[in-house]
Amino acid sequence: MLWETLLLAVRTIRRNTLRSFLTVLGIVIGVAAVIAMVTVGNGATAKITSELSSMGNNLLFARPGQMGPGAPSSSARSFTLADADAIRADVGGILAVAPVSQKSVAVVAGSESRTVGLVGTNADYLTTQAWSVSSGRNFTESEARAGRSVCLIGETVRQELFGTADPVGQTIRVKNIACPVVGLLVERGESTVGSDRDDTVIMPLRAFQRRIAGTTTVDTILISARDGVDTGKVQAAVEDLLRERRDILAGDDDDFSVRDMRQLVQTMTATTTILTGLLGAVAAVSLVVGGIGIMNIMLVSVTERTREIGIRLAIGALEHQVLTQFLVEAVVLSLFGGLIGILTGLSLAYGTARLLSVPFIVDPTIVALAFAFSALVGVAFGFFPARRAARLDPIEALRHE
Amino acid sequence: MTEVTPLVEFRGIARRYGEGDAEVRALDGVDLAIAAGEFVAVMGPSGSGKSTAMNIIGCLDTPTAGEYLFDGVSVSGLDRDARTILRRSFLGFVFQGFNLLPRTSAQENVELPLVYRGVGAAERTALAREALARVGLQGREHHVPSALSGGQQQRVAIARAIVTDPMLLLADEPTGNLDTRTSEEIMALLTELNTERGITVVMVTHEPDIAAFAHRTIRFKDGRVDSDTATARAA
């Protein structure tokens, strides 16, 4: 009986293909939006999480100025190399300290040139980034101390300047300074915000300061704590030391900030999750609107088919049999919409994920939930029209033209 | 004359619509008995109460007062679903406007009452084919109503009414939309079903020619039975 009702519903829906499609469009859009939002959101979260592990779990970074709303950072005093040395010397539980300055400069090799993000730092930088060279070597501590202009280049820079050739031993010109390439970095791909992390050149900080930037300042100090060390304690020790070195009186606010990378990533993940949920909720509203569309058309359909209902009631359909017929019709409609919506949503999510270069992760729970929810919408909004059909007076219904 | 339980028995049946001054007495205390195997024509001007009487006999409507006994059992107090079960078990309906489902084949139209009775697909197909053959429509099982003539549509409707093997066939102006020749064919079919299968037929009609096919004519007037006469059978 249910199977026959199902067949009947499919046949009735197919009889009016265009109208049926327009009816379920609301559901299609609702489900597609929910699926797309949540899938892309999950991808973004997964990417952030994977980046956390690739950056090393125990990374802190110190910056001049207060981060956060309304805090002027440009006016704050910069760090110097001496600050980084002091942290390394005085704070316990530290694996590596890397002072970092950055500047966008043009690099040239032969006839090829490219503008890259140039990083001035020390030999510990690769440790803090959990990074390494794929060929050649890192520059040494003594090269860094001496301010020798040697450099490491990223995979993108290698491709742009040398093609597939081995760059180690070649010389590139960085802002007119000849700079031998001593190592090629392992390919890392894009960062969370979509910048190419392989489009970079790394050189000793002293060389960077003296010959490129012409300053003695340090933008950021990266601090990598040893495994098993409480990063909170390291953070507090670094803050105390920096306050002392910068002569900040007790009670005055810091004019710098030290952040734990993990906290930052957790905050970002939490934000992404909230955003995903919020967008999903907005999308869910359109599902309800879609349900109202179905109710509307089902009511029209009941009116149009009053005579048919009258015939069915007169020749032996029980109230619940007519109710089931119309309810099944509404549910088949909404499930059909849900199915199209899921496919559309997944394609949309796939395209968006490719575009934003986040992983495409399908959450079967959300797909199942969207499908179940569209069925629920069908039942909820199909019930009223179905009951109206079932309660028709067969005598009146048969007279209906 | 021996006392046999009538198939249809009205005891003081009244049906009123509305209240107070607006009250309409469609039926006003009707006593009536129709025995199994009869072929009865119901006549009367519009508003005489004949349609209301038919609706009550067909368990589509319930009387306001009085008692309706079907095959000796009172059915006045039955609820909607119980009346539906009664209808689909014992009654068959033929309407003036045929009332077939559009865009649905003759076969499926005839199967419909069986679907609601929960008869399996194979048995349904067989019974519907048999019923269609009985009304002379073999070979037209897959025609939709719009591809059939009026007479053929009414035959499909009759097949649908008899497919459940009912005790009572209620026909509401079955020839009202048909020409004279087709009307006579339909009446011949109803007469056959009455005499050969023993199905009791109660038929509303306006036309004396059609009423002449019945054994008995009941005339309604102002909500009461005006006359109840045996008919000289048409030649």
Side-chain angles (χ1 to χ4, degrees):
Chain A
M1 184 69 205
L2 191 69
W3 174 243
E4 264 136 21
T5 315
L6 209 69
L7 282 182
L8 181 67
V10 170
R11 213 165 52 178
T12 312
I13 289 164
R14 272 184 35 194
R15 207 169 269 165
N16 229 324
T17 316
L18 179 66
R19 185 164 93 181
S20 301
F21 178 72
L22 290 175
T23 304
V24 300
L25 206 57
I27 299 276
V28 171
I29 292 171
V31 170
V34 171
I35 295 275
M37 298 288 179
V38 173
T39 306
V40 172
N42 283 346
T45 309
K47 179 156 188 184
I48 292 168
T49 315
S50 82
E51 237 160 66
L52 164 75
S53 48
S54 85
M55 286 198 92
N57 281 335
N58 303 322
L59 188 66
L60 301 172
F61 58 94
R63 278 202 180 136
Q66 274 295 330
M67 285 191 261
S73 56
S74 54
S75 65
R77 283 171 292 167
S78 301
F79 295 130
T80 62
L81 245 173
D83 290 323
D85 289 338
I87 291 169
R88 195 202 321 258
D90 293 354
V91 179
I94 283 178
L95 179 66
V97 176
V100 175
S101 284
Q102 279 175 296
K103 195 176 169 66
S104 190
V105 299
V107 296
V108 180
S111 60
E112 305 293 334
S113 100
R114 181 169 183 79
T115 303
V116 302
L118 178 67
V119 176
T121 184
N122 63 8
D124 275 356
Y125 179 71
L126 293 189
T127 311
T128 65
Q129 296 292 300
W131 208 356
S132 57
V133 292
S134 59
S135 77
R137 59 171 179 86
N138 190 2
F139 50 76
T140 62
E141 196 58 37
S142 61
E143 280 171 328
R145 293 251 163 243
R148 293 274 302 279
S149 47
V150 290
C151 61
L152 309 173
I153 67 172
E155 182 59 32
T156 305
V157 179
R158 192 274 289 258
Q159 280 165 19
E160 293 296 329
L161 298 185
F162 299 104
T164 53
D166 184 6
V168 177
Q170 306 275 347
T171 299
I172 61 172
R173 295 183 68 80
V174 182
K175 204 185 171 191
N176 298 329
I177 310 298
C179 190
V181 176
V182 295
L184 174 66
L185 293 159
V186 170
E187 188 171 355
R188 284 226 292 189
E190 280 181 15
S191 73
T192 317
V193 288
S195 61
D196 181 359
R197 291 181 294 178
D198 297 317
D199 196 5
T200 190
V201 172
I202 300 173
M203 71 191 308
L205 181 64
R206 279 180 200 277
F208 176 92
Q209 288 175 333
R210 230 180 273 151
R211 311 177 79 160
I212 309 289
T215 63
T216 56
T217 62
V218 169
D219 294 345
T220 311
I221 300 174
L222 302 177
I223 302 135
S224 207
R226 282 186 205 286
D227 276 344
V229 172
D230 179 1
T231 50
K233 281 184 183 159
V234 175
Q235 185 177 347
V238 169
E239 278 168 354
D240 286 346
L241 179 70
L242 287 175
R243 282 177 70 87
E244 194 182 308
R245 288 180 60 80
R246 293 159 83 87
D247 298 320
I248 297 167
L249 296 171
D252 281 1
D253 288 336
D254 292 349
D255 64 351
F256 64 91
S257 59
V258 180
R259 290 293 153 102
D260 187 334
M261 196 63 196
R262 180 157 39 184
Q263 284 170 8
L264 209 76
V265 169
Q266 274 164 0
T267 312
M268 271 175 87
T269 311
T271 312
T272 321
T273 309
I274 290 171
L275 229 87
T276 306
L278 220 69
L279 290 172
V282 170
V285 170
S286 64
L287 255 180
V288 173
V289 175
I292 295 171
I294 286 196
M295 176 152 77
N296 190 14
I297 287 298
M298 288 306 294
L299 280 173
V300 170
S301 178
V302 167
T303 308
E304 273 181 3
R305 287 153 66 192
T306 299
R307 200 183 175 84
E308 174 198 324
I309 296 161
I311 296 168
R312 290 178 184 277
L313 287 168
I315 65 169
L318 295 173
E319 246 178 75
H320 79 86
Q321 287 172 321
V322 173
L323 183 92
T324 309
Q325 183 193 336
F326 280 85
L327 211 53
V328 165
E329 217 173 292
V331 172
V332 168
L333 261 180
S334 61
L335 278 183
F336 176 65
L339 209 65
I340 301 179
I342 287 169
L343 295 178
T344 314
L346 287 179
S347 335
L348 262 173
Y350 182 73
T352 314
R354 288 291 294 269
L355 210 70
L356 300 177
S357 59
V358 299
F360 174 65
I361 302 166
V362 179
D363 182 353
T365 321
I366 277 296
V367 173
L369 216 67
F371 198 63
F373 197 73
S374 41
L376 193 74
V377 164
V379 173
F381 290 95
F383 185 77
F384 175 62
R387 202 184 57 172
R388 175 175 277 199
R391 294 211 173 154
L392 282 176
D393 176 5
I395 301 170
E396 291 294 324
L398 281 171
R399 254 182 236 145
H400 187 91
E401 285 307 319
Chain B
M1 213 172 148
T2 47
E3 257 324 296
V4 190
T5 310
L7 185 63
V8 169
E9 186 175 3
F10 276 19
R11 289 184 186 163
I13 291 283
R15 180 70 172 96
R16 293 184 284 271
Y17 300 99
E19 294 202 359
D21 290 345
E23 189 184 79
V24 177
R25 296 183 170 200
L27 286 180
D28 196 8
V30 174
D31 294 307
L32 191 67
I34 295 168
E38 278 197 89
F39 190 153
V40 180
V42 175
M43 298 186 78
S46 54
S48 62
K50 62 180 192 304
S51 294
T52 306
M54 283 296 273
N55 286 337
I56 289 174
I57 294 172
C59 293
L60 289 165
D61 200 356
T62 46
T64 322
E67 200 175 10
Y68 170 27
L69 300 161
F70 183 84
D71 203 20
V73 180
S74 174
V75 297
S76 306
L78 295 180
D79 67 9
R80 249 181 87 135
D81 276 355
R83 282 185 279 127
T84 302
I85 288 168
L86 190 86
R87 272 203 304 278
R88 73 184 187 194
S89 306
F90 303 115
L91 306 182
F93 290 86
V94 176
F95 307 93
Q96 177 178 7
F98 318 138
N99 278 340
L100 299 173
L101 294 188
R103 291 171 292 189
T104 306
S105 71
Q107 173 84 23
E108 284 172 296
N109 262 295
V110 175
E111 281 185 28
L112 201 59
L114 300 172
V115 170
Y116 287 122
R117 284 172 77 164
V119 178
E123 192 185 347
R124 250 173 22 220
T125 310
L127 285 171
R129 278 179 172 278
E130 194 188 307
L132 281 167
R134 181 67 194 80
V135 299
L137 283 180
Q138 54 271 75
R140 308 217 181 248
E141 288 86 352
H142 300 293
H143 287 53
V144 293
S146 57
L148 295 170
S149 72
Q152 287 169 330
Q153 288 186 52
Q154 194 61 299
R155 283 169 191 272
V156 175
I158 291 170
R160 183 179 64 188
I162 62 169
V163 75
T164 56
D165 202 14
M167 298 165 81
L168 176 61
L169 187 67
L170 294 167
D172 190 0
E173 301 199 43
T175 60
N177 288 7
L178 303 174
D179 61 39
T180 312
R181 200 173 62 81
T182 320
S183 293
E184 282 178 6
E185 285 170 18
I186 292 296
M187 288 318 297
L189 179 58
L190 288 179
T191 307
E192 266 175 48
L193 291 171
N194 175 245
T195 52
E196 288 173 19
R197 287 228 195 164
I199 300 173
T200 311
V201 179
V202 179
M203 168 186 71
V204 170
T205 183
H206 277 119
E207 298 159 69
D209 291 0
I210 298 300
F213 281 87
H215 306 148
R216 177 180 164 194
T217 302
I218 301 172
R219 284 174 195 279
F220 278 83
K221 193 179 176 186
D222 298 331
R224 291 170 185 274
V225 176
D226 188 41
S227 71
D228 189 344
T229 53
T231 319
R233 302 302 307 275

